[in-house]
Structures are given as C-alpha cells and as structure tokens.
Amino acid sequence: MSDEKPPQLVDYFVVAGLAEASRALEEEQQPRPARPGEPITDVAVIIRSQGEEVPQGFTCIETTTSGHPVDLNAGLLNNPQMFLCYKRGRDKPPLIELGVHYEGKDRPKPGYQILDTTPYSRSANLASGSPGHQRTFLTFRRAAEPPGHHTLGVTDICLVMPSKGESTPHTFCRVDKNLNTSMWGPALFLCYKIAVAKGNTLVYEAGLLSRYPEQDSESFPLPESVPVFCLPMGATIESWPAGTKYPLPVFSTFVLTGASGDKVYGAAIQFHEAFPRERLSEAQALRLGLLSVVDRRPVPGRSLHTRKSICVLSHWPFFDVFRKFLMFIYRYSISGPHVLPLETHISHFMHNVPFPSPQRPRILVQMSPYDSLLLCRPVSSPLPLSGASFLTLLQNLGPDNAVALLVAVLTEQKLLIHSLRPDVLTSVGEALVAMIFPLRWQCPYIPLCPLALADVLCAPVPFIVGIHSSYFDLYEPPRDVIFVDLDTNTIFQSEERKLLSPRALPRRPCKVLLASLHSLSQQLDELLSAPGEEEPPELVLSDAEAAGARRAQLELEARAAFLRFMACALRGYRSFLRPIAPAPAPAGRDAGSLFALQGFLRSRERAYQRFYGQLLRTQLFTQFIEDCSFASDREPCLEFFDTCVDKVQVDLEKPEDTPLMELDDPRGGEHTVFITPPEQPAGPDGAEPPARYRYDGFPTLCPELLEPPRDPLVAQLCQARSSAPSSPAPRRTKQEMKVAQRVAQKSSAVPELWARCLLGHCYGLWFLYLPTHVRAAPAKLRALQLAYDVLRKMEQHKVVLPDEVCYRILMQLCGQYGEPVLSVRVLLEMKRAGIVPNTVTYGYYNKAVLESKWPAGTQGGRLRWAKLRNVVLGAAQFRQPLRQRERRSAAGDPPGDQPPPAPRPPLQRQTTWAGRSLRDPAPAPRLVKSGSLSFPRGEGGTRMGLGEPPLLPVTPPLPPSRPRGPPGSADGSLSDIATDESGGDEGPAGGPGGGPGGVTPRRGLAAKLQQLLSPGKRPPPRPTEPPREPGARRGSEQRDGDPPSRRSPAETLLRPRERPESTASESSVSLGSELDLSDASGGSTGAPKSTEPSSDGTAGTEPPALEVLLSSCSRCPGCAGLVFDEELMAGWTSDDSNLNTSCPFCCRSFVPFLSIEIRDFRRPPSPPGAGPVPPSPEGPVLSDRRRCLELDETPELCNGCADTPPPGRWERVAFAYLSPLVLRKELESLVENEGGELLARPELVDSHPIIFWNLVWYFQRLALPSNLPLLLLGSQHAPRDPQPPEPSRVRVRLLWDVLSPDPESCPPLYVLWRIHSNLPPRLHPWGPPPAPFSLTFLEALLSHVGLNEVHKAIGLFLETLAAPGAPRTLHRSIYRELLFLTLAALGREHTDIAAFDRRYRSALGKLGGALGRDELRRRRAQPPSAKASDCRRTFGAPPEC
C-alpha cells in the first residue's frame, strides 16, 4: 500500500498588512476625479415658486445626468417648480436608502421616514399642483447610531429621464417609481449610489507580515499573491475623527486557480488596529489631515489606524468553519491576558484537527470553553467541489438576470461582477462557473480581484472577474465589459458588447429553467422574511437547523435546474463523437476530428442556430470534447452528466419527476470525533499558571511558540484509507454503482433478469481479475484475445452487464500492451451489443488507440508471402499424382492393376486446439456412457467453450459432429466418450446401429421401461469378465462371445447387479450441470486445452499435487434442510452489503457457506495425532470409462483408483458464500486499498480467504481461466513446494451436494442406489440403508418417473416415509431426492432437467387437490422456485454430486 497522506484541512495561515516594502497604489494609477469624502446625511424638497431657497449646506439638483433641466412636477398644469436638495456631513448617521411613497396605495416600510414637509414647513407632496392626482412623497432610511468610519451610505443622488435617452448610471440604484404621476410631462426617476464614503486615506499594496508554516509544501507552495487577495482594496492608513467606533471585521473569500486547474480556497477577515504616528512622513501626515496646510501644526482630535487581514488557505471550501476560526483568533488577539499564546491555538487547529472521513464524518472542535465549531464531511456529490451559492446568486440578481448571465458565460463574454460585499463576490463567481457544468471555464477567472491585479480587465480575452465597487471611484472601467452590480441587481451592457437575448436559448428548456428559478426565488424570500418571534432557546436552535436544512435543499434544487438545462441543450452529443478507429493522424486531438460539429449543429432547430454556433466556437466546448474523448480526471463527472442526459425529456414543459441529483449526505452520522482545546501548562505546585500573553495588535507569529502536532492518533483514526497506486479503469464510478444497484433491485423481482444480473456481475469479477491474469500470462496477446472471445460469447448469449467495466478494462489492457486494433474490435463489439460507451470508457478507448503503436499501414509483404505459400502448396498437389504414376512405372506394375489412390483431403487451416480442421470427418460413433459428466454435441446442447456462460437448456444428445474429449485423448475432444474399437454397433442410446454412422433413433424411455419391467423379458445375469490390463482400451466390445447387446441404458440401470459392457460405468454417475463442465475440474489457468493433462487421473499422468473440493450446499439453521446452490442464489437480495439468503422451506435468513476440502497428494510426513486419511477422491465421480470397467471387475480396488496413492494430508474449512454483488463490492475495495498485485500473491489466500474462495468457485463454475488455484501452493494450506507451480498440480472440483453430510442422517436415494449397486460412496461409508428404501422401492420410483407418472412417484415416496423404519426427517426435499436418483440411474445424457421440472410441477398440481398445498410444503415436496430454476439454467449445476 502506498503511504499517501490524508487530506489536510488547512495548508497555510497568513497575516497580511502594510509591510516595509509596500508601494502606494493611488500614485501610480490615473485616478478619476476626487470621490466625495463624506456621505449624504439629509435630503429636502424646496418649492422655488413659493420663494423657498436652498438651505445652508445643501446642494440642489437642477439638471439630469445629461444636462436637461429637471423639475419634480414639470408635468403639472400649475407647475409649482419643486427641486430636490441633499446635504453631506458626518454629524449624523448617513442615509442608506431612498424611496418614493404613494399615499393611500403603498404601506409605509418599517424604518423609513416620509419627507412630508419642506424646510419651510410647506407640504412636500410632489403632486401638489393638482388636487386630483396621487399624493407622492420621498422616503429615506438612515443608518443606525453611532456611525462608524466605514459605514455604507448614500454618496450621490441623480435624476434621469428615460424619454431623453438617459439610463441609470453605473453603480447607481434606481427607484422604480415615477416621480411624475400626471398624464403630462416626461417620466422622472430617482437614482442614488451607495458606497463607503471615507476620506483621509492612503492605500498601499498589501504585503506578507507573517505565515505558518514558514516552509513551503512540496505539493502546494504558498503563492506570492496571497496578501493582495487578503486585502483586495489594499492596506490602508486612515485618519479617523476622535471617538469613531471601530468597524466590525469584514469576512471575504477568494479562489486561486493553479496551472493544472485545481482550486485553492482562501478565507480572510479584515480588521483595523492603531497605527503609530512616528512611522508617517510629513507628506503622509498632510494627506491624512493630521497637519494643517498653512503652518504644519498637528490637528487635534484625530486618530490613526491601519487595516490588516488574517487568512487561511485550504483545498476545501469550508467557509463557515474558517470564518468561525478566524473570528475566534481575532477576538483572542484583542482580549486578554491569556495563559496560552495565540500561536498555540493556530498550530493546534492546523495540526490536530483532522479532515472528516467516511468513518468519522463529524469533527467537533472545542477551541475554548465558550467557542466551538462543527466540521462535517463534504456532501458526496458527482459534481465538482465548489464554493458556489446559487441562492446568493438568485438573491442578488433574480431569475431573469441569472439566465442572462448563463447566456453570457456560455458565449464567453467579458464579465465584471462588483459589489460592496466581498464575501458575496466569491459565492456568485463560483456559481457562474458551476452553472455551465459539464463545461469548464477556460479563460481568466478571479472572483475577487485585488486592485493590484486590475490590469486583467484590459485583457483581450474573455474573463470572469469580481471586484469591490469602490474600484469605480478610483478608475475608469473598460468599455467592452459587461458589468454586473450585485448591490443594485442590474446588468450594464455597452454598445460594443451586446448579449444574446435569452430567447436565443432552446425554448422549452429555458422556460422550465425560468419557472424553477422563479419558484425557488419565491421560496427563498419566504424563508428570509419569516417573522422572528420570541421563543425558547431550544426552539430557536431547532428552527435554525431546520432553516439550514431547507436552505441546503433549495440550493440543491437550484443547481439541479441549471443541470437540467445543460442536459437538454447538449442532448444527443455523444452520437456525434468520432472515435479514432484508424491509425491517428498528427491532428488527432483537433475538435473537428473528434466531433461532428456541423452534424450536431444541423440536429438543432433553426431558431437556435445562432446560439449553438457561438457555443461550438468557444474554448468551453472544445475542452469539453477533449475531456469526453480522452481519459481525464473528470470522467466520473462526465459519466454522471451522461446519465442526466438520458433522464431528461426536452419536450416537457416542467421538470421530470425523477430527480437528477441524488446526494449522499453523511453529516447525519453518529460518529463524531471530539477535539479538545490545547492543554494549559501546569504551574508550580499544580497551581494555575499566570496569564501573561496580551496583545496591543495582531502580533507577528513567533516560531518558538508554535507547537508540533499533539495527538497524531486522532488524525490516523479519522483519515480516509489511502488508495494503492492502481489503474482507475477497474473502478466503477459512483454513478455506475448507483445504476447497478437500481438495476439489481428491479431484476430481483423478475426471475430471468435476476439470474442474468448475477451472471453479469460474475463476469465483472473475472474482468476485474483480468489485469492480474494477463500480467502473469506468458503470451499477452493470446490472453487478451481470450478475453475478447469471452466478450463475444457474452454478447451471443445476451449476458446483461451492469456496467461497462468489462469493456473498459480490456480496452485499457489493449493500450497497455500495444494492441490498438483489438481495442477497436472491442468498441465494435460494444456497438453490436447495443451499448453506447460512456465518457469513461470512451476516454480509455481513445487513449489506447492514440498512444499505442499501430501496425504498418500496408500488409503487402505478409499477403505476398501468403500467396506464394498457396502457390507452392497448389503446385505440390498437382505434382502428387505424377509422382505416384512414376513410382508405379518404376516398380513395373501395370497401371490398370492398382486401385485408384485415395483422394487427399484439401488444404485446410488448422483451427481446433487438438490440431484437427473443422472439415475433418467425425470419428466413428461412440457409446455414450451412462452417468457421464459430459454429453456430446447436439443441435440443442452445444458444448460451451472457455468463458461461455451456461445459458442453453439441455436437449437429448445427438451424435457429435465435432467430438471433443479430454485434453489428453488422441482425438483432442473435450467430452469423456470412449471409442468403440469393434465397429460400434450401438448408437448413443444403446440401440443397434441402423443408420449412417451407427446412429439409431431412440425409442421412448417410457416404452422401454414398461418392456423391461414385464416378467420374463429381463435378461439373465451375465458372468463377470476377469479384469483386463490397465492400459487396454475398453469400449462396448462383446464379452464371452455373446451377440451385441440391444438393451438400453435404462434396462441395465434398473438391474444394477447385471451390468453388461454397454453400461459398465453407471456407477460413475456424476450429478452435474446441464452443460458439460468437466473440463473445469482441472485447474483452469488459461493454457491451451491440448496441452493440459487429463483431470481425471488416467493412466500415464501424475496425480495432482493438491485437489480441492468445493460445495456451496448449506444447511439452514432453522429447519436443518439442505439448501442447494440455485436456491441460495434465488434467496439473495439486491443489497450489495447483505450476506444473507433465505431458506426456501422456512423462509429464514441465514449466511450460506462454502465448504472446502483440500487434499494434498505430496504425502508429507504426518504429524503425530493426525486425523484419519479420507478415501481417495479418484473414482466414479470423474468417470473414466476404463477405470469404471476395472472397478466393475475388481472390487478390491479402493473406489476405483488402484494407481493413485492416498492423500498424505487433508484439511476442511468453510467460509461465507457471497453473492456476486457483495463479492464485487469487496473485491473492488480490496483492489483499491491494497492494489491489484495482491491477487497474484499467495498472501491473498491467508489474508482474504473469503474473497479468494468465492472467486475460485465462480471462476470454476463458469470455466473462466485463472491462476488463483496455484496460489494454494504458497499458502498456509500447503507446505512449500520446491517444484515450479504448474497448472496441473492443482485440481478443483465443484460439488452439487453437501461436502460433509451428517453420518447419522439417512443416505439420499442416489447414494442408496450406489450402495445397492455395491459401489463405495464418494466421501465416506454410509450406514445400512433403511428397510423401506429397498432396491424394489428405488426401481418403482424410477419406473414411475420414466412412465411420466411423477405424481405416483411422489405419492409412493410419501407413503414410504410414513412406513415403520423410515427416517423421520429428510434433509433434502422430495424433488431433490427424485432428481438426483434419476440422474444417478439414467445418467445426465438421458435426463432433461427442465423437462423433469415441468413434469414434477404438473404432478404436484395433481396431488395438491388431494393432500393440500400446505401439507405438501410441510413435507418438503415443493419444487424449486422459478427464480431458482432460472439461476440453475443460467449458471448450470455444479458438475459433480
């Protein structure tokens, strides 16, 4: 595992202010005319026609902004000539808002005063000239007392006439009520500006005063520009009147963007502290008004102050937490004295407060006995982390302006956001770049721009910049910029830069967006304007929490509204992506070569072509196409956006019912880590130490007082588990996990879908293991081709994959091992399967194709060599008859005496592993052995190759067209079929060969059973033939001169003591899958089948070093019934954390187990006191015909294995049997935390046995190659072996029935059949069979089953169970007993399990009326559920019993 550090909460603590090297800002710039130094404190209305003059100290407004004469009631007939006047000063609190009041129509606003009289006590009604008009008055609101030096106030007032072409000046607020209420005259509106009116101020560029830590981090060095962002309007020296109140600290946030696009968030507070006069020069004192201009004497009653800032930098936008921490530090610095220095609290917060993790999502930090803060883990969201606040955007701009800004951002305009509140700028700026997700803003982005960096406003590129509104009091803004005033809710556009109208956006999505934003804005207003009543403290706290939760919900809905619009606007974009199929050209990364721009544009409606045309030309869209086409760190976000695109419906005029965003909020967890305050040092004799730390201003940090981390264990407990350096391709994204979970929930209710869902996850497990398998394979290309063949088989059998991980892993491996052509084939396979690759898969595909080395463009050399080879071989074919004729002529033989030569087969390409061509004639028909694991190929029962899921039902076997046997056989076949060397008079059903190749149509099994059960028709017993040599081949040759037998296997199986040669292997019954999985019993390692030794221990091969027996059959703890594999699968749930299954008999939930038996044939020295050695597993289960014939004639052989030594050591273990859903989740966690290399080391067996054994079970079940069994040779289950680990040294066998049955229980019927046949059992000897379970009883059951009278078989079984001497309880159901007995007696090739299930259900319906369904269920006579039957049909049954 890699030693990655946990996320750090705070990276740096910075103190910024006026440094020695700070330069003045106002001297180097070209400022605008001097701004007013005092705010407006009073307004008045005078009537000049009544002789009123402008009061002393007031200024009268006589013209509009463009110089037109102004009269407040110019439209009235009498025209009393009323004018507006204002007064500046600091003798009283300034005005902070102006308004217009219509008497009788408007309610007076709280806090407002109505200007109802003039200074000369006349009525100030602006409509006083006409008695019939609406009475109109001016209103104002004053700031609270006592006023501070930095109090916001009205600094300027003007009047505008829209009819004269005048508009609201920049940064001014407009009162949207006409001052002229008459029908005559132009409309007149009042505008005012709010700002901080302060004079006697010097502005300098902020510098770094102190920092912690002093050394830069390797991953993130401290940027040099941090101080200017802490004080964006500069470090000031200000002269205040005596007695001026200190302003409250101002909180601000900013964002720094690195070269790689990652963001660093800053949180700062600005405050003032005293500044010594001794540090000022005479020129500075004159500018600050501290010296008189004439005689340079000190001006009394003035105080000097400077502005400082403290700041924290972090990669996480925990702005509320940082604000509380910084305010605590500030209050600590201005209070005192204290026992602990300030540096102790700073270092304590940075070192000992861990980042919240999933295990500890809440961190409660107690900074002092009265100050605490709660740090919660960020909400898990597929969207990028951001400090955006969409509610702040709506609150300050409104829905219409928010949509207008969306158009501006999408078309890459120059946006300048300004406000007097610096903390609002960052929230709104982050919201602007977040609303266009999945697009990313590629141009300059500074949400809080300091004055020192204001030159960026003149850049010739698009930008989003936020700045303090006081910037416009100092400098003239550029003309080609769109101004967004957050204080006045206005957007100012210049003539040079006009925005597209929102009507250019797609109509229906834009309409839904506006409706959603208006609804959210209304809800936000109701939330903010809720009346506050006096309530108990506990209710106030609960209401605050409820309001916070409601605000978070509204924030989520606002973000989802913008996300829906973007999904509708870009809907269908994936179909226009161009995959790199041929060898990439040098311009392979160009957007035109990666995306069909014109095709996408033509797919949109003509009314919106202008908008889409501008969008496609932006850097936003170009980068988006590159992110979609190549692997990047944004793949999870883009994959989430694709799912949103699939959810939305463009034609709807309201949002969909299904939410687009489903967030996992971990803050409700109960796991909370409590961080205590720093410990105080103990004084002498345990007394409290003296408080000796007091500060006149914020100090410079002293390195000696900064403490090291106090409690590193807390951080270790809370840190997230570090991820091993592994490839990200095998990992599913969070969205893929959610989709897979939803699909599993839906599939669990449908039997067919549930089985295919489990099968898809099983293949996902193997593809997760595939990188390890390919890494260990000697031939990488062959292993990749094998995986591709598995994908094709999965597509042919319509395996439902829950995600695209299988394709993605193979594409990544193709790129890793330089096989781009195979990667293209995988993409085409995805398209044939109807799967559109998501962003993650598409990125890895293009990366593999682009970065891999392609083969030569022309293969002329290879083709020419192939042509030359064909010509030479063709010439040799033509010359062959001539050579034969020359030989006959040389021998002197007349040409007519010799028979014509046999025709040579045509030239064919070798295609099979055994070396035969597909056109080779099939060998002579062979007798199919009863009870064999395998069955030959037929039309309906195709033998699936490596990696093919067993999905086809079983049909009666037909003569194979391409017979395949064990890898060690001479003909290279895969089926265990013995060859009839005497000519083969019997067909597959035991009848005489009457057709081509000796194939005879089978008679009905019921008719044969009826004939065989008739008295006098049973053949007499035959003498036993002495055993032959082990090496001799045994077929269906005749014995003792008897004519060929014409009896069917059913005839001989009903008389087990009379075993002719045609049925000599009925003792080797193996209750197996509906498909032949016998080749999976050997350790599957991906090696060619023709080179693997035989897995059934035939003569001439060495026994395996280890043999492993696996069984999933589990006993229910409630009813003691045995639950078999398909029933366990059917009882699993869709929850990927639930290990339980349900019992089909008592419906109890329990955890199933995998039973494992490990047999070591290397015979190490047995330790003293070792247990008994179990019998050899070699025998009838794996059914070699020669062994079975020897077993029939030599009863002294131990279980049919005379040449196999008994194992020297054996061990039995059991581990939980996991659902593929649970196992996949655990395997992904293992690979992520410990790396994929662990899957190739023997430590996997010992450290993670549950995952290991479940993987072995599923891989063997589906016959998928793996090297996992070989890991046993290096684990604690087997001593170290000096020999190299070969695939043949470990053999794995899967069992259907229980591995270790209860010795006191009654043997099952198929075991009793073996006992009556004088055959030893597979595992250990059973006790004597019960008296009612005689051979006659078993034959009667088989007779009823064969005659399609299953209901009689069930009734006979129930009657026999009620007889004296019968076992009281059965651990297996009646269905299971009859099925296993039928398979054991008739053989797998003569039994169709699906047909047996249908007959059994039909028979149970007949018995249900007589006995009752409840009674049948109580006596365990019910068949498996439809879900269990489909799981068995999909996976196939384990090959052995």
Side-chain angles (χ1 to χ4, degrees), residues 1007-1054:
K1008 291 186 178 182
L1009 289 172
Q1010 183 65 30
Q1011 178 184 0
L1012 293 173
L1013 292 176
S1014 302
K1017 292 187 178 181
R1018 296 184 181 179
R1022 308 186 56 137
T1024 305
E1025 182 178 347
R1028 300 192 178 189
E1029 296 298 328
R1033 298 197 48 151
R1034 298 296 301 262
S1036 49
E1037 61 267 16
Q1038 304 173 9
R1039 300 183 182 182
D1040 300 333
D1042 290 344
S1045 173
R1046 301 175 60 89
R1047 291 171 295 178
S1048 67
E1051 175 184 355
T1052 56
L1053 289 171
L1054 290 176

Side-chain angles (χ1 to χ4, degrees), residues 167 351 779 894 1021 1123 1413:
S167 60
H351 290 302
V1123 185
R1413 295 186 178 274

Side-chain angles (χ1 to χ4, degrees), residues 112 118 442 645 670 762 844 899 978 1294 1399 1422:
Y112 279 74
T118 66
Q442 300 295 314
V645 171
E670 299 179 356
C762 288
Y844 277 100
L1294 307 183
R1399 295 172 183 174
Q1422 76 272 20

Side-chain angles (χ1 to χ4, degrees), residues 296-422:
R296 307 294 175 94
R297 291 183 179 180
V299 177
R302 307 293 295 182
S303 59
L304 199 60
H305 303 271
T306 184
R307 184 163 52 183
K308 277 188 178 181
S309 175
I310 56 176
C311 165
V312 292
L313 292 181
S314 174
H315 285 80
W316 308 94
F318 293 122
F319 293 143
D320 291 337
V321 173
F322 297 151
R323 180 179 57 83
K324 292 180 180 179
F325 168 68
L326 292 175
M327 291 300 296
F328 167 75
I329 295 297
Y330 170 71
R331 290 195 304 267
Y332 197 88
S333 66
I334 62 177
S335 61
H338 304 286
V339 176
L340 294 176
L342 186 68
E343 291 83 352
T344 301
H345 290 276
I346 296 175
S347 58
H348 171 76
F349 185 81
M350 295 185 63
H351 290 302
N352 297 330
V353 177
F355 187 83
S357 67
Q359 293 78 20
R360 301 292 188 272
R362 297 161 60 95
I363 309 294
L364 180 59
V365 183
Q366 192 72 31
M367 296 179 291
S368 72
Y370 309 101
D371 298 277
S372 63
L373 58 87
L374 183 63
L375 179 63
C376 298
R377 182 169 175 261
V379 175
S380 179
S381 169
L383 299 178
L385 187 65
S386 172
S389 175
F390 289 90
L391 296 185
T392 305
L393 175 69
L394 288 177
Q395 186 178 358
N396 289 274
L397 288 176
D400 297 326
N401 285 338
V403 174
L405 288 182
L406 174 64
V407 179
V409 177
L410 288 177
T411 55
E412 288 187 347
Q413 305 294 326
K414 295 182 178 182
L415 290 180
L416 179 58
I417 313 167
H418 60 91
S419 173
L420 296 171
R421 299 159 294 168

Side-chain angles (χ1 to χ4, degrees), residues 1280-1425:
R1280 294 292 179 181
D1281 191 356
Q1283 301 185 18
E1286 300 177 358
S1288 61
R1289 297 186 59 77
V1290 179
R1291 179 169 58 198
V1292 180
R1293 295 162 55 188
L1294 307 183
L1295 307 181
W1296 197 352
D1297 202 357
V1298 66
L1299 181 62
S1300 54
D1302 186 3
E1304 298 181 359
S1305 62
C1306 174
L1309 297 186
Y1310 77 92
V1311 174
L1312 293 178
W1313 180 267
R1314 292 178 178 176
I1315 294 177
H1316 288 302
S1317 304
N1318 297 327
L1319 297 176
R1322 173 177 55 81
L1323 296 176
H1324 56 78
W1326 291 80
F1333 291 170
S1334 60
L1335 178 61
T1336 304
F1337 167 70
L1338 300 180
E1339 291 179 352
L1341 292 179
L1342 289 172
S1343 174
H1344 290 313
V1345 173
L1347 296 174
N1348 198 13
E1349 298 174 345
V1350 183
H1351 63 285
K1352 294 184 179 180
I1354 299 175
L1356 177 61
F1357 199 174
L1358 293 175
E1359 293 176 2
T1360 308
L1361 287 176
R1368 296 183 178 180
T1369 58
L1370 287 177
H1371 297 296
R1372 296 163 185 81
S1373 64
I1374 296 178
Y1375 163 84
R1376 196 70 58 176
E1377 292 281 7
L1378 293 179
L1379 175 63
F1380 284 5
L1381 176 62
T1382 305
L1383 291 173
L1386 302 182
R1388 173 64 60 82
E1389 63 275 11
H1390 298 287
T1391 305
D1392 187 350
I1393 300 181
F1396 179 86
D1397 288 352
R1398 292 192 297 269
R1399 295 172 183 174
Y1400 190 89
R1401 287 188 172 87
S1402 177
L1404 208 64
K1406 297 178 181 179
L1407 294 176
L1411 299 178
R1413 295 186 178 274
D1414 295 339
E1415 179 65 19
L1416 291 176
R1417 184 175 181 85
R1418 186 185 65 82
R1419 303 181 72 172
R1420 297 182 182 175
Q1422 76 272 20
S1425 63

